[in-house]
Amino acid sequence: MSRYITRLRMRRAYKWNGRPVSKDRKLKRQYYESMSISVEGKTEDVTVSLGQYILIEGDDDDNPFVAQLLKLYTDDSGKKKTAVVQWFVRMCEVPQNKRKLLGRDPHPQEIFFYQDRSCDNEVDGETILGAVQIEYVPVEDPFPKGKSKGILFVKLLWDTKSFRALNPELMQPPQSSKSPPPSSHGTQTRALPTPDLSVMKRAMSGILTRGSMSTGKMSSSEAESLHSASKLSAAKALSAKRRSRAVSGPHVRKKLDLCSPSKNMTRDDVLGEILDEHTEKTLTSKLNTSPTGRISISIRLTRLNLNEEECVSPLSSHSPDKPRLTAYDKDDATSVFLGVQPIGDDDPEPLISTGRTPRKREATPRSAGLRGLKARTPSRRKDALREPALAALAEEEHEYSPVQTAATPCSKRKSAQLESSRIRKQLNLLGNTVDLQSDGEDGDDDDCFVPAKIDLQSSSDEEEEAKIDSEDELIVKKRRGSGTSRSTEKTRVSARTPRKTPSKKTAPATPRTPRHATPSIPSRSAPAKKPGNVLEEARVSCQKLQETTVLLVDELDLLWTRKQNVMYNLFDWPTRRNARLVVLTIANTMDLPERIMINRVASRLGLTRMSFQPYTFKQLQQIITSRLNRVKAFEEDALQLVSRKVAALSGDARRCLDICRRATEICEHSGSQKNSSGLVGMSHVMEALDEMFSSSYIAAIRCASVQEQLFLRAVIAEFRRLGLEEATFQQVFVQHQALCRVEGLQPVNVSEGLTVCQRLGSCRLLLLEGSRLDLFLRIRLNVSQDDVLFALKAD
Amino acid sequence: VLCHRLVYLHVFIMHCQSNAQKLLRERLCHQKLPDRPVGLDSQYKHLLELLRRTAVHGESNSILIVDPRGSGKTMVRSIKRCTPLLMTRDKIALKEITRQLHLENVVGDKVFGSFAENLAFLLEALKKGDKSSSRPVLFVLDEFDLFAHHKNQTLLYNLLDVSQSAQTPVAVVGLTCRLDVLELLEKRVKSRFSHRQIHLFSSLSFSQYVDVVRAQLSLPPDFPDPKFSDEWNHSKLCEEKSVEEILKRHFNASKDFCALHSLLFLAVSRVSVSRSTLREADLLEASRLISADSKANVLHGENLETDFYYRHDFSISSL
């Protein structure tokens, strides 16, 4: 983590210019017109005033965020300076896969007006770096030449979907911000990019329908549109209406009606209910500030804490350009293994000791990777995520390319081998970074869930008299290999995506033993420390840093202990005051809470459960194609066959990739003999499938020795005679001897017979009791009688 | 002088004979493995190819070798192995792995209190490397099925998880004789296993079996006395009718080489100075001893030797 600490940080001092121009008593805010920034070591102060274009500190020091300053205010205490801005995006912040929508090469100094409601536009005033000059260029005109490097040009508008021509009027700061806001203008804050309720509702309904549908029916674009508010005019109208009504003040707080929702309610139900309630309340403009009788999960996703930018910055110091490299950065060894860790790596008192135990298998690369993957677009949409993921893929390409070039002088065969080995590597699980697009819709659910929760938390935390924290646990049920691990990884990424949300650190926890699931207490250095204490300390530090922690627990069922203390603690934490903790747990038992949890644990469990369907064949196909990364290695039919076969059996993506790997191997071997197309074809895939799915019992029987075969035959004969599926050794032995005579072999004696029987038992062709029973050993077949007869007949 | 020479000759013959006997006994008893398995060429190649891929290309793999007892699994385990018969718990297995990976010096004075710490340390060590830089590690888990009985299958889960992820290239080779071993694995473990299996069912024919017997009984070309070894190697023992019958009987009972070895061991032990070559009668007697019904022998109060061999044989087969 040294890199974070050593980051060069210029100290800047921020100061208001002049008197507050207006005051909002209700919100206890004072609005200012300008602010001056004095940078250490420079004599001149920089002044930024409303309407000016500013640079805001971001992940990338070379390319700070660009925005237009709309409002400046301070809260009651006067300590926190907040700025409301209109964002602009640079080309590098636009998701990679959308860049080509521009249709031309971007000008190096070009930026785009950013239009996205879902993006939070309040920033901490102390992240403002300074002013910048932006020039509007009409669409038809060429970019002016010979201007200084400092000037940025804006031509188009980016609405997270497409580039459009920018109406220059949008560039003019809105009147309301110039004129002192009227004191009754409490809604100004509400006008921030609230994710529209209707939009959320629509998303909910979308999720619901998707839940009932089999997965994979909805195209990803459709899913995306659920997130995008810009398209939905109805939603716009509704939110405008709501805003105009000036409903709830910031102190409105909902309390959870504890008795109402049943334990098994799904997330959708709960959220839907809350949403219903909220819209109802807001639309009827029943402004109710009393804190009782409301729900704790407040849905104001609007305002986020302003200090949080501060927390983000130490993490954002390194360039996100190389997610792959950072993911394997060994320097990050001081990261936590599991548990609650304050984000402040440069926190003077690391309360939860980190890195003392070497127990952090996955945590390090992933969490580091997250930092690397921190999206730079001011969007919380998935596209932002895809960009680094794709970049990583591309980089992998790079990583191999020297090998490739080195191979060119070698023989063709060798290069072919390298190629296929590369394909296999790509097919190797986790060899690549997450390929998000293949995750289907389940991922989307997850996607909106975690950020929502996080936003909920932060919004409730921002109230100083916060009484109850919203919290939730989500049990993600999964089928094996259905990508939960991967999609949670994505979740972790996505949870970080919103630009101005508090930075979160997720701590993936695959417990080794239940005891060690207590968050990273180095067991020897602090043996007496109870997990609760650690959490308490973490909480204190978290509060300082204003951040939310997402705790991800994989393989929850392994955390089962007799007293279930571990699970109890785990689910108890988020219910504590100010815990600011989201607990995400993963298990592959569908009815885990009902089956193993005792009451006090189950009651602490959140209401939200999300089940992951096994992959459908289309998704599997998509996964393989994305892994192959556009390398043509498989025939289309072969891909179809693999994905359909696996989808029909288990839907296990790991299995699917394994089969593909095996098929490439088979292809490589056969390819050296007769050079056909060089692609992996149906025959290779069939062979691989046969290898993986064929039962070995029949082959085993065919290869058994004569006496063993005779013994099996005797077993079946005895079963038929008895009409039972079980016989003692003695009975079978009599049959065996008779069969020996029939076959003209010397009859075996008891010892030999037992030996044969035991050999068959050790292969598990027969199921035997303990051998001490000798003659009265009971024998059962572990294979069906038909299989045995078939195998024996074929001789 | 003549007498002297006679004594000398006698001593010499005795020397040769005892030498030959020692060599053969060692071969049969110590289970000295042949260089290549018999009749399993394709499987052998497959495994080598897989390991080569791990070693050269740094791909992680996991494979299971399934076969009945005594058909050549053991030949595989030569590099690193864990035998669960000794390692009744994952914990001990882990320590063994650490030892074999020569990581003790890294562990140094750290006394690992708990299993989890130990495992975490190992995983950390494995994780440190990436595809390109670190040396591939081969884990051979003998009696794989017994590892599956460990609680939660923690060791398997973690080993296979490493093999599925892009960390240090790891090849996990499991050896087992149970055909249904995959059903023992938990779902989470099963999903991480690559489902490659090599079956070493020996489809050995009788003539091959006889060839193996001949090869096992012949003396190597670098035997100190070529005359003796010539004589020994050219005996027509295997062609004799009764011997063939005995071998056929054993072949029918099992194609297992271990059983064959114990038969030949008994026969070779009967060679003495007076009868310097292996004869038909030796084999007959050995066969009689081996296939005698132990219970009948006990009732006869006959020789304890047989009983010993019975037990020996039995303990092998009941493993």
Side-chain angles (χ1 to χ4, degrees), chain B residues 263-281:
Chain B
L263 172 78
L264 295 181
F265 179 68
L266 278 184
V268 169
S269 311
R270 295 178 63 84
V271 175
S272 66
V273 183
S274 50
R275 295 166 300 156
S276 65
T277 51
L278 198 61
R279 289 173 314 160
E280 185 193 339

Side-chain angles (χ1 to χ4, degrees), chain B residues 210 213-215 217-218 228-247 276-281 283:
Chain B
V210 174
V213 173
R214 210 172 281 137
L217 286 180
S218 62
F228 182 82
S229 72
D230 263 14
E231 199 182 317
W232 177 281
N233 287 345
H234 282 94
S235 71
K236 302 268 183 214
L237 185 72
C238 291
E239 273 88 76
E240 282 177 48
K241 193 99 174 99
S242 54
V243 172
E244 202 171 306
E245 221 165 75
I246 292 167
L247 290 180
S276 65
T277 51
L278 198 61
R279 289 173 314 160
E280 185 193 339
L283 261 179

Side-chain angles (χ1 to χ4, degrees), chain A residues 245-528:
Chain A
R245 291 202 175 173
V247 269
S248 51
H251 299 281
V252 177
R253 174 155 294 283
K254 295 193 163 191
K255 291 263 151 65
L256 179 64
D257 192 2
L258 276 171
C259 56
S260 67
S262 74
K263 199 172 82 180
N264 284 334
M265 257 169 111
T266 64
R267 172 174 74 90
D268 306 336
D269 297 338
V270 178
L271 265 183
E273 196 179 277
I274 295 161
L275 286 170
D276 278 338
E277 191 180 334
H278 192 79
T279 23
E280 194 185 282
K281 291 258 160 78
T282 48
L283 288 178
T284 51
S285 70
K286 274 187 194 159
L287 177 67
N288 185 2
T289 47
S290 83
T292 52
R294 291 281 192 97
I295 305 182
S296 79
I297 307 174
S298 86
I299 7 164
R300 285 194 310 102
L301 304 177
T302 47
R303 290 164 42 215
L304 296 169
N305 218 307
L306 306 172
N307 265 353
E308 283 142 17
E309 190 63 10
E310 198 61 30
C311 318
V312 182
S313 51
L315 292 181
S316 53
S317 60
H318 67 89
S319 146
D321 287 339
K322 291 172 185 161
R324 249 201 101 74
L325 295 182
T326 50
Y328 290 95
D329 200 337
K330 285 168 203 160
D331 292 346
D332 288 341
T334 46
S335 167
V336 261
F337 164 58
L338 59 89
V340 206
Q341 204 216 354
I343 195 73
D345 295 307
D346 46 357
D347 193 20
E349 24 164 306
L351 289 169
I352 295 176
S353 80
T354 61
R356 242 172 284 173
T357 47
R359 194 186 339 117
K360 45 182 175 320
R361 185 175 55 105
E362 304 269 73
T364 318
R366 282 194 190 157
S367 53
L370 288 182
R371 271 170 236 136
L373 284 167
K374 217 166 109 54
R376 291 143 71 201
T377 357
S379 132
R380 66 175 49 158
R381 296 201 34 236
K382 274 190 1 182
D383 312 12
L385 296 172
R386 284 188 192 160
E387 167 198 1
L390 287 173
L393 281 179
E395 194 149 300
E396 188 144 85
E397 199 89 26
H398 261 283
E399 193 185 310
Y400 292 118
S401 56
V403 182
Q404 221 87 350
T405 46
T408 30
C410 298
S411 72
K412 216 174 181 181
R413 164 128 172 82
K414 183 132 190 198
S415 74
Q417 235 176 29
L418 278 170
E419 172 74 18
S420 69
S421 127
R422 201 186 114 214
I423 290 167
R424 275 199 305 276
K425 255 184 217 174
Q426 286 185 357
L427 288 173
N428 203 342
L429 217 105
L430 301 183
N432 291 333
T433 45
V434 278
D435 39 356
L436 301 171
Q437 61 271 48
S438 56
D439 250 315
E441 286 78 34
D442 288 335
D444 294 345
D445 300 358
D446 215 359
D447 227 15
C448 49
F449 174 74
V450 175
K453 285 299 167 198
I454 288 156
D455 289 356
L456 289 174
Q457 304 229 331
S458 43
S459 65
S460 53
D461 285 343
E462 118 196 75
E463 315 271 348
E464 279 180 341
E465 66 274 47
K467 293 274 185 332
I468 301 171
D469 255 320
S470 61
E471 74 288 310
D472 211 294
E473 304 90 27
L474 162 73
I475 290 208
V476 184
K477 306 285 182 29
K478 62 170 172 182
R479 299 280 197 82
R480 275 297 140 204
S482 67
T484 28
S485 301
R486 221 148 41 83
S487 83
T488 44
E489 197 164 336
K490 187 181 85 184
T491 313
R492 272 177 259 151
V493 180
S494 69
R496 298 181 59 84
T497 341
R499 188 179 186 175
K500 302 311 170 224
T501 47
S503 51
K504 289 148 230 80
K505 176 165 288 175
T506 48
T510 302
R512 306 281 164 248
T513 62
R515 201 161 58 80
H516 287 82
T518 53
S520 68
I521 319 164
S523 48
R524 250 168 311 109
S525 52

